[in-house]
Amino acid sequence: MVGGSGMDLRSKARTIPGPVSDPAKLPKWNYDGSSTNQAPGQDSEVILYPQAIFKDPFRRGNNILVICDVYTPAGEPLPTNKRHNAAKIFSHPDVAAEVPWYGIEQEYTLLQKDTNWPLGWPIGGFPGPQGPYYCGIGADKAYGRDIVDAHYKACLYAGINISGINGEVMPGQWEFQVGPSVGISAGDEIWAARYILERITEIAGVVVSFDPKPIPGDWNGAGAHTNYSTKSMREDGGYEIIKKAIEKLGLRHKEHIAAYGEGNERRLTGKHETADINTFTWGVANRGSSIRVGRDTEKEGKGYFEDRRPSSNMDPYVVTSLIAETTLLWKP
């Protein structure tokens, strides 16, 4: 479950009588919300509702990881429960009929535990400038590959739709991709993958940061580019539908930016493969725009587009459901 900051993952374990594959058959549970900034001390109990099940890559066997969201004892979703509203949007008949696909590119930075300085960087100093690190190999270019590969394998074992990994532009920074995933499952899978990554870095004695600009200056920030398509966009004539959807996203640029992660203004500067935070732009194959359309999509007249604005610390429930709401439900 997600704690009070919106980024702190919390977990606890319990034993149940036998194997369960349907979250609805799992018991509700509770935890002390006053210790997670989700409830006052005099009424501290918050209720966990099981929502999604993954195989547990740590305990293995019949063990499972369960994504839960949080409610008051009266059944009201807590303000930090972003899944509840997302599930409402994704179950709307107009959204469900369009089968929204998401592919999310989650960037993150590995930090040395005692110094909070990127893995592989000299303490208090800097490595050589960016260039050789992106998709790089070699001990002087790739820092933390054992963690990254362990995470990849653990996510595959868990049943997360993880579709790839790569070293990023800034040394010590990496990316994994989840998708294509349909609707609410994109959010469940990103949160489960983040949880597994935190657990693996814990074992390695390394800290994972989802800060969108962990090192100021001439270094790339960290985003969570969100690739999106609907049934209509994937069918013939889809390019026209994509252009209409992008137009609607442009009209709500401010609302989206406000929902796309904390500290994003430090990353969206118009440099380092980003668009300026105050300007909405789109283009084909342009990594300096807010929305990028791939060459293939333009050529085939159908496909998907990439929203490059979300930051690495965004809530995937918020971002995916807002994109669906703006493009499918919102009437300008």
Side-chain angles (χ1 to χ4, degrees):
M1 66 297 272
V2 181
S5 77
M7 269 310 285
D8 55 319
L9 283 154
R10 310 282 177 141
S11 70
K12 57 194 284 194
R14 75 180 291 176
T15 309
I16 51 177
V20 174
S21 55
D22 174 3
K25 297 205 163 81
L26 286 167
K28 287 179 182 155
W29 204 15
N30 64 70
Y31 75 20
D32 168 17
S34 70
S35 299
T36 61
N37 271 336
Q38 287 170 305
Q42 65 275 17
D43 186 11
S44 67
E45 200 167 282
V46 297
I47 314 300
L48 307 174
Y49 287 31
Q51 299 290 6
I53 290 176
F54 298 94
K55 285 165 69 185
D56 185 341
F58 303 103
R59 292 191 174 101
R60 292 182 290 205
N62 270 336
N63 295 292
I64 53 176
L65 296 177
V66 182
I67 296 275
C68 298
D69 59 353
V70 284
Y71 296 80
T72 67
E76 291 292 312
L78 294 189
T80 51
N81 178 355
K82 305 301 183 191
R83 192 186 189 281
H84 180 78
N85 189 50
K88 279 205 286 211
I89 290 168
F90 285 121
S91 59
H92 190 291
D94 295 354
V95 175
E98 280 288 351
V99 195
W101 288 9
Y102 296 91
I104 297 172
E105 306 169 36
Q106 174 70 68
E107 294 178 341
Y108 60 93
T109 310
L110 296 173
L111 303 175
Q112 301 168 53
K113 183 162 73 78
D114 298 325
T115 57
N116 266 356
W117 199 237
L119 205 60
W121 289 35
I123 297 299
F126 294 88
Q130 294 183 157
Y133 310 106
Y134 173 69
C135 296
I137 59 165
D140 56 343
K141 298 178 210 71
Y143 309 126
R145 188 185 300 278
D146 48 349
I147 291 170
V148 175
D149 267 346
H151 176 251
Y152 196 178
K153 282 187 264 193
C155 286
L156 287 168
Y157 177 92
I160 291 166
N161 212 354
I162 187 167
S163 41
I165 55 166
N166 58 268
E168 263 310 324
V169 178
M170 187 180 97
Q173 201 171 70
W174 295 80
E175 169 181 304
F176 65 87
Q177 302 94 29
V178 164
S181 303
V182 179
I184 197 79
S185 65
D188 291 337
E189 290 180 10
I190 281 286
W191 276 118
R194 283 175 174 176
Y195 173 79
I196 291 169
L197 181 59
E198 292 244 27
R199 287 283 304 274
I200 287 172
T201 52
E202 174 192 313
I203 294 164
V206 168
V207 172
V208 60
S209 168
F210 294 105
D211 188 273
K213 187 80 175 180
I215 306 294
D218 202 10
W219 303 97
N220 271 38
H225 300 158
T226 301
N227 299 276
Y228 172 69
S229 72
T230 61
K231 192 163 172 285
S232 310
M233 292 174 192
R234 298 187 288 270
E235 288 168 356
D236 290 342
Y239 194 36
E240 288 312 307
I241 304 207
I242 284 173
K243 287 197 276 200
K244 286 196 184 94
I246 292 172
E247 195 182 329
K248 286 170 92 175
L249 287 167
L251 293 172
R252 289 185 95 185
H253 179 63
K254 275 202 167 71
E255 288 99 308
H256 280 255
I257 287 293
Y260 274 13
E262 294 293 317
N264 213 4
E265 69 288 343
R266 292 183 280 117
R267 166 181 161 259
L268 294 182
T269 58
K271 294 180 184 153
H272 306 107
E273 302 180 61
T274 69
D276 178 77
I277 195 163
N278 298 311
T279 318
F280 181 85
T281 55
W282 76 276
V284 176
N286 182 358
R287 286 191 152 72
S289 59
S290 315
I291 306 277
R292 180 185 68 88
V293 174
R295 285 256 177 256
D296 285 354
T297 297
E298 183 187 44
K299 195 168 98 209
E300 289 168 27
K302 60 185 175 184
Y304 71 96
F305 63 84
E306 173 193 42
D307 191 335
R308 297 180 60 81
R309 297 170 296 172
S311 71
S312 46
N313 60 6
M314 61 82 159
D315 188 316
Y317 295 132
V318 173
V319 169
T320 56
S321 62
L322 186 57
I323 292 173
E325 186 195 7
T326 295
T327 57
L328 296 171
L329 301 177
W330 184 60
K331 305 279 189 282

